[in-house]
Amino acid sequence: MRQNLQNTKSCSTKYFRRLRVPLGFPQGSPEQGVVRSNRIGRAISFLQSRHYAVISIYPSLLLRYSCHEEIVETAKMPFDQLDRFKVHCKPLKERPNKVHIETDHVPADATPKPLGAAGDTAITEIVKRLITARETGASRMLAFGAHSIKNGLAPVFTKLIADGWITHLATNGAGIIHDWEFAYQGHSSEDVRANVTRGEFGTWHETGFYINLAILVGAYKGLGYGESVGALVEKEGLQIPTEQELIDTVKMLVESDSDRAASAADLLTHVRAFDLNPGWLFVPHPYKKYGLQSAAYKLGIPYTGHPMIGHDIIYVHPMNHCAAIGRTAQRDFLYYANGVSNIEGGVYISIGSAVMSPMIFEKSLSMSQNLAIQQGKHIDNHFMMIIDLAKSHWDWSKGEPPADNPDYYMRYNKTFARMGGTMRYLSADNRDFLLTLSHALS
C-alpha cells in the first residue's frame, strides 16, 4: 500500500515524492507528538487539512505495520531549499582541466630538490621514528590535504604503504574527488574562477553521480567513505541491489538494526529517483594505476575520507545524500581514531592540511587518552611531523608561541603543539618531502 502526498504549497514535488522521511512536529504546536490511527488515511487527512508538508508515506516501511497502527510525524517547513534536480550538470569530459596525471604524476623514483639542513635533520629523525614504530607495531599515520593528490603524488604514497611504512592514510573530501577523477578520466582540477562565473563549477555529472552512488552503496554495505570510493575504482563498478531487496531489508531490520534499515531506505530512494537497473553497474577506470584509493583498497590499508557538508563539488549533484555521507564518514572517523589509539611510540605525519588533520587528530587523541587512562596508561611517546609551505620562525619544540607572535596564528601548528609527545614543523614542498622520505626509507 502506497500513498503519495504532496504539500499544496510546495512548488517542487517531482522528485521529493519519492522520499519516505517521517518528519517531526514543530516544537510547542498543538499537534506535537504523534498521530496514531488504525487507518492511515485518517491521519493523512488530518495532516493535509493543516497544510503540513507530507512528502510520502510507505506503511510497509513504518513502525508496527503488522499491527496496522502507524506513527506519522510531520512538520511545517518555513524555509525553502534549493532544488538540485534543476541544476544543469554537464558531462565531465567537456571540462578543461589543469592537471593530467599521465604526464604530471610524480614517479616514486623521481629526484627531489634538496630540503636544506633543517629538512635533512627532520628526515633523519622521522626515519628513525618510523623504523622503531614499525618494529613495535605502533601506528604510522599520514594525513594530507588535496594538493598532495593534485601534485601527482599517488605513486609515492602507494610505495610507502606497499613497503609497510604507513599503516593509515587520511584526506579530506577534495582529496577523494581528485584521486577519483584521475583514476576515471586521467585529469582533474578545473578553473574555479571561470566556472563559477558561468555557473558550471562542480556541475559535472559523472563526478557527482558515481562518487555519491558509491557512498550510498557503501553505506548500505557498511563501508567507510574512502573504502566505498576505493572499491568503486578497484572493482570498476557497483552492485546495485533490487528494489525488493532494499524494501525487505528495511522491513526486516527496522527494529533490530535501524541504521542498516535507514541506509537501505536511502539507497532505495535514489535507485527509484534515478531509475537505476539492478545488477552490476560497470564503471571503467582506465587510469586506476595512478589512483591511491584503488591501491589502498587493494592492499587493505585504511584510506579514510573526512569531508565537511557542502565543501566539495559532489554536493552539487542531486545524487548526493548527506545521510549516507554521514554514515560512511563516521565509520572513517572511528577507523582513524582507532589508529590514533595505537599512536604510543608511533608516528603521525600531516602534510598540507590546515584544518582537517589537526581537528580530527585532537579529538581522536583525547578519546584515546581517555581510554588509556582508564587502563592505567598514558599516551606520551608519539611523534608528529607537520609539513607545509608556510614559513615559521618559532621553535615548536618549545610549545606554542605567545599571542603577540605572528606564528601563534598558524592554527594547525598550535593545535599539534598542544597534543603532547614530540612535534616538529618543516616548511617544504610536499613533493620534495615525500620523495626524500621514501628514498631514505628505501
Side-chain angles (χ1 to χ4, degrees):
M1 180 170 66
R2 172 182 179 182
Q3 300 183 49
N4 289 321
L5 306 176
Q6 302 169 25
N7 180 1
T8 56
K9 296 180 180 179
S10 174
C11 60
S12 178
T13 57
K14 178 179 179 182
Y15 296 98
F16 287 102
R17 72 178 58 182
R18 296 183 181 275
L19 300 176
R20 290 161 298 286
V21 184
L23 303 173
F25 280 104
Q27 184 69 26
S29 67
E31 298 86 0
Q32 185 180 15
V34 296
V35 176
R36 296 180 179 272
S37 174
N38 290 329
R39 296 185 60 189
I40 193 70
R42 185 181 303 168
I44 291 167
S45 299
F46 173 85
L47 298 169
Q48 282 187 313
S49 68
R50 283 154 177 77
H51 301 290
Y52 282 94
V54 181
I55 297 173
S56 179
I57 293 177
Y58 276 70
S60 62
L61 304 187
L62 292 176
L63 301 177
R64 301 183 180 88
Y65 174 63
S66 61
C67 301
H68 301 288
E69 183 178 82
E70 313 299 341
I71 296 178
V72 183
E73 297 181 347
T74 186
K76 288 185 176 178
M77 300 171 64
F79 307 118
D80 294 330
Q81 297 184 40
L82 189 144
D83 184 356
R84 289 179 294 187
F85 279 99
K86 294 179 179 179
V87 175
H88 178 215
C89 290
K90 303 179 70 174
L92 184 58
K93 65 182 180 182
E94 295 183 9
R95 187 187 76 191
N97 293 281
K98 300 177 183 178
V99 183
H100 298 261
I101 199 62
E102 282 191 300
T103 56
D104 295 331
H105 73 278
V106 179
D109 60 356
T111 302
K113 296 177 183 177
L115 294 176
D120 292 341
T121 300
I123 290 294
T124 299
E125 185 174 18
I126 195 172
V127 165
K128 290 180 180 178
R129 291 276 191 162
L130 283 168
I131 291 172
T132 301
R134 188 165 75 163
E135 289 174 349
T136 61
S139 294
R140 288 94 63 196
M141 305 177 73
L142 204 169
F144 51 92
H147 276 90
S148 295
I149 295 297
K150 289 175 67 175
N151 284 346
L153 282 165
V156 185
F157 282 119
T158 299
K159 179 171 174 54
L160 287 170
I161 61 175
D163 290 349
W165 291 111
I166 299 298
T167 59
H168 191 113
L169 297 168
T171 192
N172 56 18
I176 297 288
I177 292 169
H178 287 301
D179 191 64
W180 179 82
E181 288 188 344
F182 283 142
Y184 178 75
Q185 67 168 9
H187 39 94
S188 187
S189 189
E190 61 184 296
D191 187 329
V192 177
R193 180 187 295 272
N195 288 350
V196 168
T197 299
R198 291 192 289 263
E200 294 180 357
F201 174 59
T203 61
W204 310 105
H205 175 66
E206 289 83 355
T207 301
F209 184 90
Y210 288 126
I211 292 180
N212 281 305
L213 182 57
I215 292 168
L216 278 158
V217 172
Y220 174 62
K221 291 184 175 181
L223 304 181
Y225 191 97
E227 188 180 11
S228 297
V229 182
L232 164 66
V233 178
E234 177 59 23
K235 296 179 179 180
E236 298 196 90
L238 296 166
Q239 185 68 34
I240 307 301
T242 65
E243 290 190 19
Q244 192 59 51
E245 175 189 333
L246 295 171
I247 291 171
D248 291 345
T249 299
V250 174
K251 293 166 64 176
M252 180 173 59
L253 298 180
V254 69
E255 295 285 357
S256 61
D257 188 351
S258 58
D259 187 66
R260 178 82 193 283
S263 67
D266 292 339
L267 181 54
L268 177 62
T269 295
H270 288 74
V271 164
R272 285 175 165 167
F274 289 89
D275 295 321
L276 299 180
N277 292 323
W280 185 251
L281 176 62
F282 177 57
V283 186
H285 289 78
Y287 302 93
K288 71 177 183 179
K289 69 178 182 179
Y290 300 107
L292 182 54
Q293 287 166 111
S294 174
Y297 183 84
K298 183 166 53 179
L299 292 168
I301 298 296
Y303 181 5
T304 53
H306 303 272
M308 289 181 274
I309 300 297
H311 278 221
D312 305 307
I313 64 171
I314 63 170
Y315 295 92
V316 171
H317 199 281
M319 180 62 84
N320 172 252
H321 192 71
C322 292
I325 286 177
R327 289 188 181 92
T328 54
Q330 175 179 295
R331 291 189 184 101
D332 272 11
F333 172 63
L334 296 177
Y335 295 156
Y336 170 93
N338 188 62
V340 173
S341 73
N342 188 42
I343 204 69
E344 174 68 16
V347 176
Y348 188 84
I349 307 171
S350 181
I351 303 177
S353 179
V355 178
M356 180 274 295
S357 175
M359 291 297 97
I360 61 175
F361 185 81
E362 70 175 3
K363 281 74 175 181
S364 298
L365 182 60
S366 180
M367 290 191 295
S368 300
Q369 202 73 273
N370 183 297
L371 296 175
I373 291 170
Q374 292 181 48
Q375 299 174 3
K377 303 176 182 179
H378 206 271
I379 300 172
D380 297 302
N381 184 30
H382 51 290
F383 182 80
M384 299 165 288
M385 175 64 75
I386 318 305
I387 300 94
D388 213 311
L389 283 173
K391 300 290 184 181
S392 176
H393 305 286
W394 178 258
D395 182 357
W396 290 95
S397 65
K398 299 178 180 179
E400 64 185 76
D404 60 353
N405 187 310
D407 281 12
Y408 177 85
Y409 300 96
M410 295 182 73
R411 188 64 178 84
Y412 49 97
N413 277 345
K414 186 167 62 174
T415 295
F416 284 114
R418 294 171 174 174
M419 296 298 105
T422 302
M423 178 247 186
R424 299 284 186 264
Y425 178 70
L426 177 65
S427 174
D429 184 284
N430 52 29
R431 289 162 288 202
D432 298 325
F433 172 80
L434 276 176
L435 281 170
T436 304
L437 176 62
S438 179
H439 293 179
L441 291 168
S442 296

